[in-house]
Amino acid sequence: MDNEFDPTKTVAPPTPGEGDAPDGSEAPVASESEEKNLPDIPAELPVLPVRDIVVFNYMILPLFVGRDKSIQAVDAAINGSRYILILTQKDEKVDEPGADDLYRVGTVGMIMRMLKMPDGRLKVLVQGLTRAKVTEFVSSDPFHLAKIEVLGERDTKEVTLEQEAMMRAAREQSEKILSLRGMPTADIMAVLNSVNEPGRLADLVASNLRMRVEEAQRLLECEDPIERLRLVNEQLVKEAEVAAMQAKIQNMAKEGMDKAQKDFFLREQMKAIRRELGEAGEESDELEELKGALDKAGMPKEVKKEADKQFKRLASMHPDSSESGVIRTYLDWLVDLPWKKMSKDRLDIKEAKHILDEDHFDLEKVKERILEYLSVRKLNPGMKGPILCFVGPPGVGKTSLGRSIARALGRKFVRMSLGGMRDEAEIRGHRRTYIGSMPGRVVQSIKQAGTRNPVIMLDEIDKVGSDFRGDPSSALLEVLDPEQNNTFQDHYLNVPFDLSKVMFICTANILDTIPGPLLDRMELIQLPGYTEQEKVKIARRYILPRQIKENGLEPGDMTISDKVVARVIRDYTREAGLRNLEREIGSVARKLARKKAEGENPPFRVTVTSLEKLLGPARFMDDEREMELPPGVAVGLAWTPVGGAILHIEAATLPGKGGLQLTGKLGDVMKESAQAALTYAKSKAKDLGIDPEIFEKNDIHIHVPAGATPKDGPSAGVTLVTALISALTNTPVCNDVAMTGEITLRGRVLPVGGIKEKVLAAVAAGMKRVILPAQNMKDLRDIPRDLRSKIKVLPVERIDEVWPLACAVEAPDADAKIDAAK
């Protein structure tokens, strides 16, 4: 039963089924005199089944009767004694209840009024009189007819203290329930206080309690008034607890509703203002658009789950709140990331080779590695992307090579500079709790590319720093590890993103500053720099056409020979790369463009003579090969970041006590090589024709010119020994011989690096022969064949072999040595 507790009203609430629409009318409770003067109740009464309600004594309630048997039972009661037995169905869903579907204890009711409805139903007003028990069902057609036994109310003796306490408890609990429900209590409590019989009080309260049918039927069947009052008290206690909780929930809901109403009122005002401004409907449209974008983004299942969660939060927030803006920005990032977009690799190996050759001259090793990658990719599409690292001096084309690789692959290219980066969040992103947070540079690059598999160039990886904000190089370990980056998790996104399809290419000038664990994850490819001949070809093929176009000239307006380009390279640039060469050629093109703009007619021919007028005096002067070297001077070869160079090493003796003086700003390695050279000369003095007393009566001074330039390295030992022996024996070294190599005290000549640059420097300086460690002969294959033909290479294994080759005008057995080495 679902009716408000109010003992002053004896009308039952609406109920389904029979009596399923009470009209809400009220009637007074029957008085005691009326009850005592009731006519005799027949032994057999028609039965009116009802659903979902138990009728108690003294209840007056309207019922709607619609079933045929029930209508005939009411007609029979009206035409007879007006008494009818009201029984409750055990199962309210049964439309045609039989005898077994009805409880055996019910209430005898008197039909006070009947009204026929237009739809054929009857509306009857019934008052409960007394309990009755069915002893036998006489018939079931045309309606149920039952023999009954009236269950009279037991007389209670004088009210005991316990009974009085129970009655007071019932009244107090009733008053408490009424107050919790916000109902007036004065009139109601007056009625309850006027009832002094335990049984009647129990029935009065029970008829208005919210109970299940089974509990109400148990109260109806209880004949002992004291026991019935005890059961009612138990129900009142339970109802009081429920009413208290209900009141608490209602208060909480009311408080929330008050705030919600206030927010609603303010939002309605905002909507009205926006309607006046012509902005109505934009918010809902934006949310719908965002929801559609999230569904179409192709996110993985776990990412989509997080996106839907944040979208629900966004939809429930006020659009002007600060957190709403944070969530909206986050969802926009999720939508913009290419979760399923991938570029299709161009796996035509011949076409890729053509593109690489078109964009870059030489660099055969790099091109070969890229073509190997494409070949493996073609045979195994599921391979993980390699991490290539191009190492070389500035301007050799490391970055432009990355663009060519992306073009050959048919992928998007994004450059990400790491120079000077010190904050780890630049790689992993910032937490969303911080103001102005955003994803890391890796995720930003992915978004910029618009595909999951771009070529990302991590430029200047050797210049990454670290401070109190973290170590970016440590964060790069996860990014560049193919075993981990398939679940890379940016702090801002807080969901995994697969980086295994990305091809990372790193660039560095030196390897010393790159941490070991990071270096271990990369495949190193050295770019040593370009030779003069290579620069001439690159300038002819790429730089000159580009600068002519950029400076507004036509292809035939400027003519310049390879000889002039070589002079620009030699006299105006001193670098391993091409940047300064491009600047100087651009400067020449600008000056010629000015002539054309002033009215002079092209073509303009650039010659060696006119070059000085266009670019000014030469900035660099190479050491010219001397016609004849004095004793104590030898020509060495050195490697520099901008290429190879020749180095004159001078030695002299002067009266003294056997001391060794070194000048020329030499490093520790060259100082040790000089000490080793002196020791070797002393140990071999007799074989070399040196007077041993010279070491005791003379000091030895070794000098390397260009004293302001720091010099160090392990490749000057052979030259130092040669210069020292030349000074001690007063024998000059041939002026067309250059040499390089490290020495040991045992007389061995050890291999050194930078052979290509050193040999090219010797060719450029006009040397005819070069002395190299025998173990470096394998490095000659990096030198172009046409340049190797311009110089004779003399391999040596021991220092004893160096001096005869250095001071001999001709070396008759040199060719034999070369052939043996090859």
Side-chain angles (χ1 to χ4, degrees):
M1 295 172 61
D2 191 19
N3 44 314
E4 295 291 337
F5 178 82
D6 187 353
T8 63
K9 297 180 181 180
T10 54
V11 179
T15 56
E18 294 295 340
D20 54 338
D23 62 359
S25 60
E26 300 181 8
V29 180
S31 64
E32 293 183 16
S33 59
E34 291 174 337
E35 182 185 358
K36 292 178 180 179
N37 297 326
L38 288 175
D40 294 336
I41 298 175
E44 293 184 358
L45 287 177
V47 176
L48 177 62
V50 295
R51 313 176 196 243
D52 198 22
I53 187 174
V54 175
V55 179
F56 288 92
N57 291 348
Y58 318 117
M59 286 182 66
I60 298 175
L61 72 161
L63 296 174
F64 286 97
V65 181
R67 290 185 284 205
D68 292 338
K69 286 187 177 182
S70 299
I71 291 175
Q72 294 188 41
V74 172
D75 289 340
I78 291 292
N79 295 328
S81 61
R82 301 180 72 89
Y83 290 111
I84 193 168
L85 179 63
I86 304 173
L87 295 179
T88 304
Q89 293 180 198
K90 295 178 181 178
D91 186 357
E92 63 181 41
K93 298 178 181 179
V94 178
D95 290 331
E96 296 294 335
D100 295 335
D101 297 321
L102 302 173
Y103 286 105
R104 294 304 177 100
V105 177
T107 302
V108 176
M110 183 176 68
I111 299 176
M112 302 174 64
R113 189 180 305 163
M114 184 186 72
L115 177 64
K116 289 187 177 182
M117 306 295 292
D119 59 359
R121 292 186 302 164
L122 300 179
K123 180 180 179 182
V124 296
L125 187 65
V126 180
Q127 178 183 8
L129 299 179
T130 184
R131 290 175 176 79
K133 180 179 181 181
V134 176
T135 59
E136 180 184 357
F137 282 97
V138 178
S139 67
S140 60
D141 191 34
F143 54 84
H144 289 292
L145 183 65
K147 289 184 179 182
I148 66 169
E149 175 187 348
V150 176
L151 302 177
E153 189 73 25
R154 296 181 184 179
D155 294 334
T156 56
K157 301 178 181 179
E158 184 177 351
V159 179
T160 63
L161 291 176
E162 182 181 359
Q163 295 170 0
E164 180 64 28
M166 292 174 62
M167 293 176 68
R168 287 186 181 181
R171 296 187 184 102
E172 291 175 358
Q173 291 292 344
S174 300
E175 184 177 13
K176 180 180 179 181
I177 294 171
L178 292 172
S179 62
L180 288 172
R181 292 179 180 170
M183 300 175 61
T185 60
D187 296 338
I188 299 175
M189 293 310 299
V191 174
L192 293 179
N193 290 330
S194 65
V195 178
N196 296 319
E197 298 178 7
R200 184 161 186 173
L201 180 62
D203 289 340
L204 183 61
V205 174
S207 62
N208 291 278
L209 273 176
R210 298 177 180 177
M211 292 182 292
R212 296 194 301 271
V213 171
E214 295 80 3
E215 295 173 344
Q217 185 67 30
R218 186 158 64 98
L219 283 174
L220 182 68
E221 294 176 0
C222 183
E223 298 182 26
D224 186 356
I226 304 302
E227 178 65 18
R228 194 158 67 248
L229 183 60
R230 186 186 65 78
L231 294 176
V232 168
N233 267 321
E234 291 179 0
Q235 292 295 330
L236 282 171
V237 171
K238 185 188 300 182
E239 185 70 15
E241 293 176 354
V242 173
M245 182 59 66
Q246 184 179 2
K248 180 179 178 181
I249 293 173
Q250 288 177 345
N251 289 335
M252 293 170 62
K254 184 176 181 300
E255 293 176 359
M257 189 178 297
D258 291 342
K259 184 179 184 303
Q261 288 175 344
K262 179 180 178 182
D263 293 345
F264 174 77
F265 177 72
L266 293 174
R267 289 194 186 101
E268 289 300 315
Q269 284 185 323
M270 290 293 294
K271 288 179 181 178
I273 294 172
R274 286 179 177 146
R275 278 195 296 270
E276 291 297 326
L277 295 173
E279 301 175 358
E282 291 183 1
E283 294 173 8
S284 58
D285 293 343
E286 288 180 1
L287 286 178
E288 292 179 4
E289 184 180 348
L290 179 60
K291 178 62 176 175
L294 289 172
D295 295 335
K296 296 178 182 178
M299 304 175 189
K301 184 177 179 180
E302 52 193 16
V303 179
K304 185 63 167 61
K305 182 179 179 181
E306 177 66 17
D308 291 340
K309 175 184 175 182
Q310 296 299 330
F311 181 81
K312 290 179 181 178
R313 292 184 60 201
L314 176 65
S316 63
M317 291 180 180
H318 191 278
D320 295 332
S321 65
S322 58
E323 190 173 1
S324 173
V326 172
I327 297 177
R328 178 56 190 266
T329 304
Y330 173 71
L331 293 177
D332 286 341
W333 270 101
L334 291 182
V335 168
D336 292 339
L337 285 176
W339 298 98
K340 61 180 181 180
K341 297 178 183 177
M342 292 183 64
S343 300
K344 186 176 181 180
D345 283 345
R346 183 188 290 115
L347 298 178
D348 187 340
I349 309 302
K350 293 182 179 179
E351 178 64 19
K353 184 177 186 304
H354 173 72
I355 292 174
L356 291 173
D357 290 339
E358 182 182 353
D359 289 349
H360 283 270
F361 176 78
D362 198 23
L363 301 177
E364 294 302 327
K365 288 186 177 180
V366 180
K367 295 175 183 177
E368 183 180 352
R369 179 62 184 89
I370 300 304
L371 295 177
E372 290 173 357
Y373 167 76
L374 290 177
S375 302
V376 176
R377 182 84 179 180
K378 185 175 183 178
L379 300 176
N380 179 20
M383 69 167 290
K384 297 177 181 178
I387 313 297
L388 303 180
C389 182
F390 299 147
V391 183
V396 296
K398 298 186 294 295
T399 304
S400 62
L401 189 60
R403 290 193 180 91
S404 297
I405 291 173
R407 180 168 168 246
L409 289 172
R411 295 189 183 187
K412 299 287 185 179
F413 176 78
V414 182
R415 177 180 174 271
M416 177 178 159
S417 178
L418 303 180
M421 183 181 292
R422 295 180 176 273
D423 191 353
E424 181 184 349
E426 292 285 336
I427 303 297
R428 295 188 181 274
H430 304 77
R431 303 285 183 184
R432 294 202 303 274
T433 53
Y434 299 113
I435 297 175
S437 60
M438 61 190 306
R441 297 275 298 280
V442 176
V443 173
Q444 292 181 42
S445 299
I446 295 288
K447 176 187 174 184
Q448 179 184 347
T451 61
R452 282 179 54 202
N453 61 337
V455 175
I456 296 182
M457 172 154 282
L458 304 177
D459 223 352
E460 311 291 353
I461 197 171
D462 57 326
K463 297 176 179 60
V464 175
S466 63
D467 59 11
F468 65 94
R469 290 168 291 187
D471 184 5
S473 61
S474 299
L476 284 171
L477 294 176
E478 181 183 3
V479 175
L480 298 180
D481 193 340
E483 301 298 329
Q484 301 180 42
N485 61 9
N486 60 332
T487 56
F488 174 72
Q489 199 162 52
D490 186 273
H491 287 164
Y492 181 85
L493 299 181
N494 204 28
V495 291
F497 191 91
D498 186 4
L499 297 179
S500 61
K501 306 298 182 184
V502 179
M503 183 175 184
F504 289 101
I505 299 177
C506 306
T507 69
N509 297 132
I510 56 175
L511 299 177
D512 299 344
T513 57
I514 303 178
L518 184 59
L519 197 62
D520 182 60
R521 284 164 169 77
M522 300 184 294
E523 179 179 344
L524 301 180
I525 298 179
Q526 297 282 349
L527 301 179
Y530 297 105
T531 65
E532 180 180 311
Q533 291 74 17
E534 290 171 341
K535 289 181 181 180
V536 170
K537 293 180 181 179
I538 293 172
R540 177 65 60 192
R541 185 180 298 183
Y542 303 103
I543 298 177
L544 281 170
R546 182 165 56 243
Q547 289 300 323
I548 289 173
K549 181 180 179 180
E550 289 181 359
N551 289 282
L553 297 174
E554 297 297 329
D557 290 349
M558 174 179 173
T559 60
I560 183 171
S561 64
D562 290 349
K563 182 179 180 181
V564 177
V565 174
R567 180 62 66 91
V568 174
I569 295 169
R570 204 162 37 243
D571 293 350
Y572 294 89
T573 66
R574 188 64 63 91
E575 58 177 349
L578 301 164
R579 289 177 184 165
N580 288 328
L581 176 60
E582 184 150 4
R583 292 190 189 101
E584 298 301 330
I585 293 178
S587 177
V588 172
R590 286 194 303 273
K591 290 177 171 57
L592 298 181
R594 178 182 174 184
K595 290 183 178 182
K596 183 178 179 179
E598 290 176 347
E600 295 187 33
N601 295 323
F604 304 107
R605 185 168 180 268
V606 182
T607 63
V608 175
T609 306
S610 63
L611 189 62
E612 188 170 346
K613 297 179 181 179
L614 294 171
L615 297 179
R619 297 186 182 88
F620 303 99
M621 297 296 292
D622 287 333
D623 292 337
E624 296 183 0
R625 182 165 67 91
E626 299 182 19
M627 297 303 295
E628 184 177 346
L629 294 179
V633 179
V635 179
L637 297 174
W639 178 90
T640 68
V642 296
I646 63 172
L647 202 65
H648 286 85
I649 295 181
E650 303 172 349
T653 60
L654 62 159
K657 297 181 180 180
L660 177 65
Q661 184 177 0
L662 303 173
T663 57
K665 205 171 184 180
L666 306 183
D668 292 338
V669 176
M670 288 191 71
K671 290 178 180 178
E672 292 172 359
S673 296
Q675 293 284 356
L678 178 60
T679 302
Y680 174 81
K682 288 181 179 180
S683 65
K684 297 291 184 177
K686 183 177 180 180
D687 298 335
L688 295 171
I690 301 173
D691 184 4
E693 294 184 359
I694 196 172
F695 296 106
E696 299 176 0
K697 299 179 180 179
N698 293 275
D699 289 339
I700 298 174
H701 184 179
I702 297 177
H703 175 69
V704 182
T709 303
K711 307 170 192 69
D712 200 8
S715 62
V718 169
T719 314
L720 287 168
V721 167
T722 303
L724 186 58
I725 295 175
S726 175
L728 293 173
T729 61
N730 198 30
T731 304
V733 177
C734 294
N735 65 339
D736 62 350
V737 177
M739 60 195 73
T740 185
E742 181 59 302
I743 61 172
T744 67
L745 292 179
R746 294 180 296 167
R748 294 183 57 203
V749 178
L750 302 180
V752 294
I755 294 299
K756 177 182 178 181
E757 291 81 0
K758 292 176 180 178
V759 173
L760 294 177
V763 173
M767 298 293 168
K768 300 299 182 181
R769 294 176 290 168
V770 60
I771 298 174
L772 296 180
Q775 297 182 44
N776 283 125
M777 294 300 290
K778 63 182 184 299
D779 298 319
L780 295 178
R781 59 185 175 183
D782 295 334
I783 303 174
R785 185 180 300 272
D786 59 333
L787 292 182
R788 274 186 288 174
S789 63
K790 294 181 179 181
I791 195 168
K792 182 177 291 186
V793 179
L794 307 175
V796 294
E797 294 181 355
R798 301 190 60 81
I799 305 176
D800 298 342
E801 304 172 31
V802 176
W803 176 246
L805 297 174
C807 62
V809 177
E810 294 181 358
D813 60 339
D815 293 335
K817 285 180 174 288
I818 294 173
D819 294 336
K822 289 181 178 180

